[in-house]
Amino acid sequence: MEKALKKEKSWKDYLTVTNFMIVILLIFYLLDKYLPLPKGYTGFNCWDNELPPAVNYIFGWCGGLLMNSMAVCETIAGGMDVYRQFTCMFLHADILHLIANLIGLYFIGNYAEKKYGWWLTYIIYLLVGFMQYLITDPIFAAIAPEKFAEIYAMPSCGASGGIFALIGASLAALFFDIKSLKQIGKPTLIISAIYGVLTTYVASFGWTTICHNVSLILGLVFGVVLILPFFLLKKGKFAITNKSNIDKEY
């Protein structure tokens, strides 16, 4: 028993691609928010002049160098370049946005990585993250043309589309075997539910709800669609490492 407990707590258990991605997202956030702006800089700046400096620094309403070159935004020069549909996945608007996505990615991403393997998990994560940003714009413009200009004057960024794709990929298992629900531990189920509600209905505060929700729904659907062929090829079964303990930590 003692050896088993030690094995569970081994630092090697945390060497996952998901946790590495979390570190990358955190580094991008810190660089974007706290790199000093060059003298004479006239690009995008997150600073809110109506708030005390301490509040801006604590909540991340500061900086913006990476946002200026990597986010999707009509008001930024080159802000609608196609490459930004990919790079914007690595940025976050503020500390609350970052925390929500890192917690969601930790539980959902680590579960998906154990079930499907790291390469398939992150092909889905990155591909869907790119696709949903690319497709959301014309869909949103068609659904709410009167709001399109207002919303796209603000930077578009975040990893939630890719995370919703991993939720979709994980839920796809239920199409083949409802019993696979038992392999998903309570922490992951609870976090997935809270993350889904929080990002869909709370984080947007109503002002970007249509655009925001179109993006997340696309991520969810794409995640299901991309994983289904693999289920068909494997007849609904994946080789799961340490199957009995798939969700002991996640």
Side-chain angles (χ1 to χ4, degrees):
M1 177 67 74
E2 186 177 350
K3 289 183 179 180
L5 289 174
K6 287 182 179 179
K7 187 175 181 180
E8 287 180 19
K9 295 180 180 180
S10 171
W11 61 271
K12 293 181 180 179
D13 294 336
Y14 297 96
L15 293 179
T16 65
V17 174
T18 294
N19 292 343
F20 182 64
M21 179 63 71
I22 286 172
V23 172
I24 291 175
L25 294 179
L26 181 58
I27 290 173
F28 269 86
Y29 176 82
L30 294 174
L31 291 175
D32 180 48
K33 301 302 180 183
Y34 302 111
L35 277 176
L37 301 178
K39 187 176 181 180
Y41 174 78
T42 57
F44 180 77
N45 191 335
C46 301
W47 193 270
D48 189 336
N49 292 322
E50 296 181 1
L51 295 173
V55 173
N56 280 288
Y57 284 120
I58 291 171
F59 287 95
W61 297 317
C62 54
L65 276 179
L66 298 189
M67 197 78 74
N68 189 63
S69 58
M70 296 171 63
V72 179
C73 184
E74 279 190 335
T75 57
I76 295 175
M80 302 303 285
D81 292 337
V82 174
Y83 80 88
R84 294 172 181 267
Q85 314 289 341
F86 180 82
T87 58
C88 65
M89 288 189 292
F90 296 92
L91 302 177
H92 290 84
D94 53 48
I95 190 65
L96 298 179
H97 188 199
L98 176 74
I99 290 172
N101 276 348
L102 293 191
I103 292 174
L105 182 59
Y106 178 77
F107 285 94
I108 299 161
N110 274 302
Y111 171 79
E113 184 175 341
K114 281 192 172 184
K115 186 169 184 64
Y116 300 124
W118 70 267
W119 65 271
L120 181 55
T121 296
Y122 280 91
I123 285 176
I124 292 173
Y125 173 84
L126 295 172
L127 181 60
V128 173
F130 172 76
M131 289 169 59
Q132 59 92 20
Y133 269 115
L134 195 63
I135 298 172
T136 295
D137 293 6
I139 292 179
F140 179 50
I143 294 174
E146 71 284 354
K147 291 186 177 181
F148 183 80
E150 176 189 352
I151 298 305
Y152 279 88
M154 306 173 191
S156 181
C157 62
S160 52
I163 297 172
F164 264 74
L166 298 185
I167 294 176
S170 300
L171 291 176
L174 304 181
F175 290 125
F176 291 90
D177 183 12
I178 190 65
K179 293 180 181 179
S180 64
L181 182 64
K182 295 180 181 179
Q183 294 177 349
I184 307 176
K186 289 182 179 179
T188 300
L189 285 173
I190 293 171
I191 292 297
S192 297
I194 293 174
Y195 178 80
V197 172
L198 196 67
T199 54
T200 305
Y201 295 105
V202 178
S204 55
F205 293 108
W207 58 274
T208 61
T209 301
I210 298 175
C211 173
H212 187 80
N213 290 354
V214 166
S215 175
L216 300 185
I217 291 170
L218 282 175
L220 191 68
V221 171
F222 286 148
V224 173
V225 170
L226 287 176
I227 201 65
L228 282 180
F230 291 93
F231 269 107
L232 295 173
L233 290 171
K234 291 177 174 286
K235 297 181 180 179
K237 296 179 181 179
F238 275 81
I240 300 172
T241 305
N242 198 14
K243 186 174 181 179
S244 62
N245 293 322
I246 186 171
D247 204 40
K248 185 159 285 185
E249 294 185 13
Y250 309 112

